[in-house]
Amino acid sequence: MKLRLALAVLAGLGAAPAVAQVPAPDYAEARYWSTVASLPEGVVATKGLRGVDVLWIHPTTTRSPTDYNHDPLDPAVLKWTEESAVQRQASAFSACCRVFAPRYRAATTKALADPANREKAFALAYSDVERAFDWYMAHDNKGRPFIIAGHSQGGAHTTSLLEKRVKGTKLQDRMVAAYVIGINLMEGDLSPRLAGIPFCNTPAQTGCFVQWNAVLAGSDNGPMLKSYRGIFVAQNGGKDGGKALCVNPVTFDTRRRLSLSAEAKGAVAGDPGLGAMGPLKASAVAAECRDGLLTVWPAPSLGLKPLPGGSMHYHDVGLFWADISANAALRAKAWLKAHGSR
């Protein structure tokens, strides 16, 4: 499996230990699915548009010193996955869509830092995601249009689903869009890996995918970009991958790489963690796609901390929560209008 995660996914989100040799999830059982149970303070659930589904794939949520894949039902793992990933991230899609979020045996940070076991752990994690996708399609989708979205490790699994389950199939006609967040795909991924699934150039375009990976303004992006380029070359027999792909998640328009803070619809304040979200803060971040990375200038009042090297990986979704929500609704409406409301 192609693994283009580099430094971003190694950051993870959680801190709970994992349990080895856990059984494969049975996606016929409700306990292996998360639901969006909360929204930012003051945000009211929208009930007017539910004609589209979202399959949300959560990021790395376990820092384990011993295990390569986590037990998705371990209470500590589950609490962090739910409150710091599903509720704070997948909730951005709940304004437009029914959200389906599988609990899967995600690779841990131990696996991601271990070249000898990384691919095996990632393959196991992806096998769960693929089975969850197939179960959802067979039992819950019922011919509805859908979005696939994921962050970090979940973004990598999203890309694999596009490549292995959507590209060139009848499902592609029903895909509203895909949101690949917190990793870097390259121009070289557009073909042959994702041939026929274009990069989204405009906010209402459908049948395409978007991509961004946030870094703090003033950071030295050279090492990260070099890493992504090097990994692509190594995985593709020396082929150069070209430039990293990026869209500004405020404008969602490749012609408008820069957005001012006044344009940002609403960010989730504070570092990801346990507990309820506070209110959204509008006009709190400026952003610009530069060299394939999303450079951000967050307002100090957001209280967000970067990772080493200036990565804003923890905040790839939270910084743009309301912008993502509005864009998913826009694309859903565009698809339904073009294909007939369902």
Side-chain angles (χ1 to χ4, degrees):
M1 174 164 304
K2 294 182 178 180
L3 182 56
R4 192 86 41 70
L5 303 186
L7 297 177
V9 78
L10 291 176
L13 282 179
V19 179
Q21 304 299 321
V22 297
D26 179 355
Y27 290 107
E29 299 181 21
R31 62 179 180 157
Y32 285 109
W33 293 92
S34 298
T35 58
V36 174
S38 63
L39 297 170
E41 182 182 332
V43 175
V44 178
T46 302
K47 297 182 179 179
L49 180 64
R50 283 293 186 276
V52 174
D53 293 343
V54 170
L55 187 80
W56 170 259
I57 309 171
H58 71 72
T60 307
T61 54
T62 307
R63 292 175 177 166
S64 172
T66 57
D67 300 309
Y68 295 110
N69 294 84
H70 76 207
D71 178 355
L73 299 184
D74 175 271
V77 170
L78 185 56
K79 183 175 177 62
W80 189 275
T81 300
E82 289 292 300
E83 295 185 20
S84 190
V86 174
Q87 306 309 327
R88 296 176 71 92
Q89 296 183 322
S91 60
F93 294 92
S94 63
C96 73
C97 312
R98 299 189 307 174
V99 177
F100 295 83
R103 296 167 176 170
Y104 68 102
R105 293 172 294 179
T108 68
T109 53
K110 176 179 174 61
L112 297 169
D114 184 345
N117 291 284
R118 182 186 304 145
E119 297 297 333
K120 184 185 298 185
F122 229 73
L124 179 65
Y126 175 72
S127 72
D128 284 355
V129 171
E130 188 174 85
R131 286 187 303 100
F133 177 77
D134 290 346
W135 171 266
Y136 155 74
M137 282 296 172
H139 297 88
D140 290 313
N141 178 267
K142 302 186 186 304
R144 291 162 59 92
F146 63 91
I147 291 169
I148 307 176
H151 177 245
S152 191
Q153 179 175 165
H157 296 319
T158 295
T159 307
S160 293
L161 283 176
L162 295 180
E163 178 185 14
K164 299 179 179 183
R165 280 293 190 263
V166 176
K167 182 182 72 173
T169 73
K170 293 181 180 179
L171 292 179
Q172 189 170 340
D173 295 334
R174 299 210 313 271
M175 190 184 79
V176 174
Y179 291 72
V180 180
I181 307 170
I183 63 170
N184 264 99
L185 298 177
M186 313 293 285
E187 290 174 332
D189 286 304
L190 294 172
S191 180
R193 190 181 185 198
L194 297 178
I197 303 178
F199 195 66
C200 300
N201 289 313
T202 58
Q205 185 179 348
T206 60
C208 53
F209 74 95
V210 296
Q211 155 79 68
W212 69 88
N213 193 359
V215 294
L216 190 66
S219 305
D220 179 7
N221 298 333
M224 186 180 295
L225 289 168
K226 182 179 179 181
S227 173
Y228 284 121
R229 284 193 292 267
I231 293 170
F232 185 95
V233 168
Q235 292 179 340
N236 289 273
K239 176 185 174 183
D240 182 75
K243 297 179 181 178
L245 299 172
C246 177
V247 73
N248 183 324
V250 173
T251 70
F252 283 100
D253 189 332
T254 55
R255 297 166 300 181
R256 292 195 59 218
R257 296 182 298 173
L258 172 67
S259 61
L260 303 180
S261 57
E263 301 175 73
K265 292 181 173 62
V268 176
D271 284 328
L274 302 175
M277 291 175 280
L280 293 176
K281 294 193 175 184
S283 304
V285 59
E288 181 181 18
C289 281
R290 291 182 177 179
D291 299 320
L293 294 175
L294 183 69
T295 298
V296 297
W297 292 263
S301 61
L302 290 176
L304 306 182
K305 301 181 183 66
L307 292 165
S311 170
M312 296 296 284
H313 189 58
Y314 285 175
H315 315 296
D316 285 321
V317 175
L319 274 169
F320 309 102
W321 192 98
D323 305 277
I324 296 168
S325 180
N327 182 254
L330 177 65
R331 293 189 201 273
K333 290 176 182 176
W335 193 98
L336 293 169
K337 181 178 181 180
H339 295 83
S341 181
R342 301 189 179 200

